[in-house]
Amino acid sequence: MSDVERERQIDYLDVEINLLSPATPFMRDHLRVIWTGFAIWVFTTFGPITLTRIAPDLMTTQMPVLGFPIHYFSIAIGGPTAALLLAVWYARKRDQIDEKYGIEQHVAEPEPTETVAEDATATDGGVTE
């Protein structure tokens, strides 16, 4: 039996959820993505700070083109850029997992809006045009 078939037969209301030992293949795949993303986040967030503490001479030197210290550039530009790329990576990996296990995301249709009669009164007491 494939992972997809086993996943479809699981009743999630009866399965104990344990984040350290997932019970289903879908949960194991998703947890692997989460832990990988967490490791990347820790590295990109705390790496420049730790490296500045360990090697201050290297990290405080001026960058030749921009004139900023390397530690400032890596924290101010590298951190937010890494967070954005990590979000895109996670969304793509999650879509791949959903596709693998046949999970579909349904998009809700917007409710139709009421049309306003031409002679309706505006909220300030005037007539709308």
Side-chain angles (χ1 to χ4, degrees), residues 20-32:
L20 300 177
S21 177
T24 67
F26 172 78
M27 289 180 184
R28 282 191 291 275
D29 288 349
H30 190 223
L31 190 62
R32 188 176 310 114

Side-chain angles (χ1 to χ4, degrees), residues 75-122:
I75 292 170
I77 303 299
T81 303
L84 179 64
L85 294 175
L86 191 59
V88 170
W89 172 82
Y90 174 78
R92 287 188 177 178
K93 292 301 279 186
R94 181 60 197 259
D95 286 345
Q96 289 173 357
I97 292 172
D98 288 350
E99 185 176 315
K100 176 181 177 182
Y101 291 101
I103 299 171
E104 295 180 12
Q105 304 293 331
H106 298 285
V107 178
E109 294 293 326
E111 295 181 17
T113 58
E114 296 180 21
T115 58
V116 180
E118 290 183 25
D119 61 344
T121 305

Side-chain angles (χ1 to χ4, degrees), residues 33-114:
V33 170
I34 289 172
W35 280 115
T36 303
F38 178 71
I40 294 169
W41 175 80
V42 166
F43 177 74
T44 59
T45 301
F46 296 108
I49 297 167
T50 305
L51 195 56
T52 302
R53 179 75 175 159
I54 293 171
D57 293 336
L58 170 70
M59 294 298 287
T60 56
T61 58
Q62 300 287 325
M63 294 175 59
V65 176
L66 300 175
F68 289 112
I70 295 173
H71 74 282
Y72 177 82
F73 182 80
S74 63
I75 292 170
I77 303 299
T81 303
L84 179 64
L85 294 175
L86 191 59
V88 170
W89 172 82
Y90 174 78
R92 287 188 177 178
K93 292 301 279 186
R94 181 60 197 259
D95 286 345
Q96 289 173 357
I97 292 172
D98 288 350
E99 185 176 315
K100 176 181 177 182
Y101 291 101
I103 299 171
E104 295 180 12
Q105 304 293 331
H106 298 285
V107 178
E109 294 293 326
E111 295 181 17
T113 58
E114 296 180 21

